[in-house]
């Protein structure tokens, strides 16, 4: 079988069925959707995954039932931590200077060597840790065999020049010097970076090119442990090479057979009861919606995307759309080991009878083992330094309606299926929206299609005001908002502080690559 890498554009036109790659994803999804309960990790690549495993329990079995992650237990039966984080590159004296090389690399997942794409040889790439007011000077070296670039998702920095400019194109073999200036008022939170080269964004992210960015608070919360969890899905073919997406996969938005945490399959985290942990979770999946649960342990939401909520709140379930992040407090409680899992999610389908649906299966992501019998921490959680700004209390200077649509431009679900915003697909040279600097706008985002679309705007965060007619409680500020199938949301945006030209798009990155993106200039 010829070697193919996920950044080879020719692969996108590969025939839909590949006899060597086992059951198709759709077959497995259909089976997964019909199954009762949570499927640990579902799909085609798993046949290979399971059959090539030398020994040890089936990785598809839920963790916790048989200690599925073999390295999670020492010879004497005690549980050891296997959870790992990417290396950290932290700023000093207001500066972070670094180089990131994007290249094909070999990593080990669950004891197997697989070839992926990574930054600095890792998947995820290094975690960047900075503070408001910092300057990041980043040289990106492109050692892929296709063009690429870099986007700092969620950072409120200039989208122009050599800052967070998604119109930059770095050819194979080239390099580019990015420089990002974070203002003194930049919100703290967890952000992330990934390529944003139109047409291959989904392929390159899915192949492993992503990493986290943490912007620290001036006074960090007192916790016993902080963890960064970058969650991403990936698939391999029968040879252990990256699986290529079919035409249908791209229209539905590709989802991986394996859902990894920091590049690991079902790692084990160990804590002692009474300890307080802060988790920064990134949904770096190309298309998969995460519905996270940590049953048996107390999970509190501190914030979504950037900044902090006015007060922490207990959550049973946390929904993260592709691109969203969560800032979460976990108080380790005696007795109950827990599994961080993502639950099934139906984000709609192609709309025609018998057409594939994106019925996402659930997966076990990580095991959280608590030792000891101390009571959970009762220490109060200090709130954010300033109450979040509420755009609902401010005068709106303009209103717009944006329409997301999927249309069989000349032929149903075939090659002609168009993914549009306001009836058009992406054109780099066209300005679609031009709000004035300083404007506070209200946008109604309408979805006329049969699939959910996570809507993302660069640089200027959105405050979610209404979803399908229901008002949103409290200040919910985020940079990716859910636009349900046949539904609508209302958001408010303050175009302040930063000007320039950038994009808004569906964060099912296959849809973005298929044209569901527009250009905005402030
Ligand atoms: Cu994370 Cu324009 O995207
Ligand atoms: Cu972004
Ligand atoms: Cu979409």
């Amino acid at each position: 079988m010829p070697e193919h890498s996920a950044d080879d554009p020719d692969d996108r036109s590969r025939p839909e069925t590949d006899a060597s790659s086992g059951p198709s994803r759709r077959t497995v999804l259909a089976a997964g959707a019909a199954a009762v309960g949570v499927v640990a990790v579902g799909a085609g690549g798993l046949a290979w995954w399971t059959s090539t495993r030398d020994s040890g329990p089936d990785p598809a079995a839920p963790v916790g039932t048989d200690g599925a992650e073999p390295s999670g237990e020492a010879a004497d039966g005690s549980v050891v931590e296997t959870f790992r984080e990417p290396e950290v590159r932290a700023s000093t004296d207001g500066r972070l200077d670094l180089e990131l090389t994007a290249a094909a690399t070999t990593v080990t997942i669950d004891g197997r060597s697989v070839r992926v794409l990574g930054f600095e040889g890792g998947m995820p790439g290094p975690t960047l840790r900075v503070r408001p007011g910092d300057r990041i000077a980043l040289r990106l070296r492109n050692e892929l065999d296709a063009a690429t670039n870099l986007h700092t998702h969620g950072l409120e920095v200039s989208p122009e020049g050599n800052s967070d400019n998604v119109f930059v194109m770095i050819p194979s073999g080239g390099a580019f010097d990015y420089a990002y200036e974070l203002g003194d008022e930049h919100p703290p939170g967890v952000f992330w970076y990934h390529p944003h080269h139109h047409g291959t964004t989904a392929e390159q992210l899915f192949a492993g090119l992503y990493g986290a960015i943490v912007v620290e608070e001036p006074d960090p919360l007192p916790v016993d442990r902080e963890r960064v969890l970058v969650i991403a899905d990936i698939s391999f073919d029968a040879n252990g090479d990256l699986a290529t997406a079919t035409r249908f996969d791209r229209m539905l938005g590709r989802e991986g057979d394996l859902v990894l945490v920091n590049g690991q399959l079902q790692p084990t985290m160990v804590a002692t009861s009474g300890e307080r942990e802060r988790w920064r979770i990134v949904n770096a999946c190309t298309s998969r919606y995460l519905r996270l649960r940590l049953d048996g342990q107390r999970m509190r939401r501190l914030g979504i995307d950037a900044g902090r909520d006015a007060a922490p709140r207990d959550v049973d379930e946390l929904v993260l759309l592709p691109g969203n992040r969560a800032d979460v407090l976990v108080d380790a409680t005696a007795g109950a080991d827990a599994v961080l899992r993502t639950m099934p999610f139906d984000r709609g389908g192609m709309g025609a009878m018998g057409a594939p649906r994106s019925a996402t299966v659930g997966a076990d992501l990580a095991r959280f083992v608590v030792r000891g019998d101390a009571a959970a921490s009762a220490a109060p959680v200090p709130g954010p330094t300033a109450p979040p700004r509420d755009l609902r209390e401010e005068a709106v200077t303009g209103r717009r309606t944006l329409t997301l649509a999927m249309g069989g431009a000349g032929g149903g679900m075939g090659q002609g299926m168009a993914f549009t915003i306001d009836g058009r697909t992406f054109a780099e040279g066209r300005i679609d929206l031009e709000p004035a600097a300083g404007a506070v706008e209200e946008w109604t985002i309408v979805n006329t299609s049969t699939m959910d679309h996570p809507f993302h705007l660069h640089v200027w965060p959105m405050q979610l005001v209404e979803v399908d007619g229901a008002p949103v409680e409290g200040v919910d500020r985020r940079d990716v908002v859910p636009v349900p199938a046949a539904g609508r949301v209302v958001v408010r945006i303050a175009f302040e502080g930063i000007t320039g030209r950038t994009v808004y798009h569906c964060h099912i990155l296959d849809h973005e690559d298929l044209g569901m993106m527009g250009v905005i200039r402030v």
Side-chain angles (χ1 to χ4, degrees):
M1 193 170 166
E3 181 177 324
H4 51 268
S5 69
D7 54 349
D8 177 357
D10 291 333
D11 274 342
R12 284 180 280 132
S13 57
R14 285 169 64 84
E16 253 204 274
T17 46
D18 179 333
S20 66
S21 63
S24 78
R25 177 175 155 278
R26 286 194 310 287
T27 317
V28 175
L29 281 182
V36 179
V38 179
V39 179
V41 264
L46 271 187
W48 166 78
W49 198 257
T50 307
S51 67
T52 57
R53 197 184 166 97
D54 296 332
S55 59
D58 179 359
V63 292
T65 54
D66 62 354
E69 173 59 55
S71 47
E73 301 206 6
D76 66 358
S78 65
V79 178
V80 294
E81 171 133 340
T82 59
F83 174 85
R84 296 284 176 271
E85 286 192 35
E87 61 168 304
V88 173
R89 308 265 176 104
S91 64
T92 47
D93 300 326
R95 281 194 69 101
L96 175 59
D97 294 290
L98 80 159
E99 205 169 275
L100 288 182
T101 299
T105 185
T106 300
V107 296
T108 303
I109 299 174
D110 198 37
R112 292 179 187 76
S113 287
V114 285
R115 275 175 303 156
V116 300
L117 303 181
F119 289 111
E120 297 295 283
M123 183 186 78
T127 297
L128 316 187
R129 279 198 173 257
V130 295
R131 291 170 198 283
D134 281 359
R135 175 189 167 88
I136 305 171
L138 187 160
R139 170 165 296 180
L140 181 66
R141 286 189 185 281
N142 181 6
E143 290 179 8
L144 307 171
D145 54 20
T148 193
N149 65 6
L150 198 74
H151 168 48
T152 52
H153 180 129
L155 283 192
E156 296 174 29
V157 296
S158 167
E160 299 274 291
N162 66 339
S163 184
D164 184 23
N165 182 349
V166 294
F167 302 106
V168 163
M169 195 273 285
I170 310 169
S172 174
F176 189 82
D177 288 317
Y178 288 98
Y180 311 99
E181 309 271 359
L182 276 66
D184 292 331
E185 303 303 316
H186 194 287
V190 57
F191 306 87
W192 62 300
Y193 60 86
H194 63 80
H196 212 293
H197 186 257
H198 181 64
T200 54
T201 302
E203 283 174 48
Q204 294 187 350
L205 176 79
F206 192 76
L209 293 169
Y210 51 83
I213 304 172
V214 176
V215 179
E216 317 262 11
E217 291 158 308
D219 300 299
L221 277 185
V223 292
D224 297 291
R225 192 170 298 110
E226 192 169 311
R227 302 181 192 265
V228 172
L229 288 78
V230 185
I231 301 174
D233 55 357
I234 194 165
S235 293
F236 298 96
D237 67 13
N239 299 320
D241 288 315
L242 285 160
T244 51
T246 65
R247 210 153 41 84
F248 277 112
D249 289 337
R250 300 180 68 220
M251 287 190 280
L252 284 174
R254 72 188 77 187
E255 293 191 18
D257 302 335
L258 306 173
V259 191
L260 307 177
V261 179
N262 295 340
Q264 290 181 287
L265 189 65
Q266 300 174 358
T268 300
M269 301 182 267
V270 180
T272 301
S273 58
E275 283 182 330
R276 176 166 283 175
E277 298 199 349
R278 183 181 196 172
W279 295 3
R280 315 223 191 218
I281 307 172
V282 180
N283 183 356
C285 297
T286 308
S287 316
R288 185 184 291 262
Y289 281 45
L290 296 175
R291 254 177 81 200
L292 301 175
R293 296 189 70 96
L294 185 69
D295 293 338
Q297 291 288 335
R298 183 177 188 198
M299 187 161 69
R300 277 181 288 176
R301 169 182 150 171
L302 296 172
I304 291 287
D305 292 352
R308 290 269 307 276
D309 295 339
R313 69 183 98 146
D314 281 275
V315 284
D316 290 331
E317 199 169 283
L318 210 49
V319 175
L320 294 184
L321 313 182
N324 276 145
R325 291 86 61 205
D327 189 356
V328 167
L329 210 58
V330 176
D331 283 307
T333 307
D337 287 355
V339 175
L340 177 68
R341 51 167 62 102
T342 183
M343 308 302 286
F345 195 98
D346 183 356
R347 53 185 177 81
M350 307 297 283
M353 284 285 276
R357 271 189 97 72
S358 58
T360 304
V361 295
D364 288 355
L365 303 178
R367 186 177 174 201
F368 185 62
V369 175
V370 179
R371 290 193 287 228
D373 53 13
S377 167
V381 182
T385 40
R389 175 177 176 187
D390 192 346
L391 295 177
R392 290 171 302 191
E393 292 163 0
E394 298 185 24
V396 164
T397 58
R399 290 191 156 81
R400 301 174 197 266
T401 300
L402 278 69
T403 304
L404 312 181
M406 275 158 45
M413 303 180 306
Q415 203 91 47
M417 172 68 92
F419 289 78
T420 59
I421 302 181
D422 295 332
R424 306 188 284 207
T425 54
F426 174 68
E428 178 171 343
R430 186 184 68 217
I431 306 286
D432 297 293
L433 303 176
E434 205 161 8
V440 174
E441 296 204 351
E442 182 172 282
W443 292 6
T444 301
I445 308 166
V446 178
N447 180 356
T448 63
S449 79
T450 51
M451 282 182 80
D452 296 358
H453 299 288
F455 180 87
H456 174 49
L457 170 64
H458 286 210
V459 179
W460 304 276
M462 299 171 275
Q463 183 180 339
L464 195 54
V465 169
E466 210 178 283
V467 179
D468 278 349
V472 169
E473 252 179 72
V475 177
D476 192 325
R477 188 174 183 262
R478 50 177 79 211
D479 54 56
V480 183
V481 298
V483 194
R488 61 177 59 209
V489 300
V490 177
V491 299
R492 287 195 178 185
I493 308 153
F495 292 99
E496 294 169 0
I498 297 168
T499 58
R501 182 176 71 119
T502 187
V503 293
Y504 51 92
H505 57 89
C506 176
H507 216 290
I508 288 174
L509 293 173
D510 282 299
H511 293 175
E512 184 250 277
D513 285 332
L514 289 167
M516 201 176 241
M517 176 154 76
V519 177
I520 182 170
R521 184 168 66 193
V522 176

